[in-house]
Amino acid sequence: MANARYKFTAKITKRDFGRMFYTVVFAPKKTERVLDLAAHPRLRIKGTIANVPFSGAFQPNGGEWYLILSKHFL
């Protein structure tokens, strides 16, 4: 899986946490299966969003997986 390339489309959303918020993107179900996120918790990735580079790790959340992004992606 190292250096493999995957492309997916997902909506970037704002999640409130009290007085703070964070920006996330949830992995589509197909992407969860392709990357086998259940077997690779906190899978680290690098990529681009609108040609802006980012890196992060998928985080589990009640059966879904998300990436935390910097606020400038919102």
Side-chain angles (χ1 to χ4, degrees):
M1 189 176 334
N3 297 320
R5 293 182 181 253
Y6 298 96
K7 184 176 183 175
F8 66 89
T9 302
K11 183 178 178 181
I12 297 172
T13 59
K14 177 182 168 184
R15 299 297 239 184
D16 292 318
F17 184 70
R19 293 179 28 193
M20 299 170 50
F21 74 90
Y22 52 102
T23 308
V24 301
V25 62
F26 283 91
K29 293 295 180 190
K30 181 179 179 181
T31 301
E32 288 180 26
R33 289 188 300 273
V34 169
L35 297 178
D36 195 11
L37 294 177
H40 303 284
R42 304 194 194 288
L43 177 66
R44 298 215 43 90
I45 65 166
K46 292 180 182 180
T48 59
I49 298 174
N51 295 319
V52 177
F54 77 94
S55 64
F58 280 105
Q59 305 290 321
N61 180 40
E64 295 183 297
W65 299 85
Y66 67 91
L67 292 167
I68 296 177
L69 304 173
S70 71
K71 293 177 184 177
H72 100 262
F73 284 108
L74 189 58

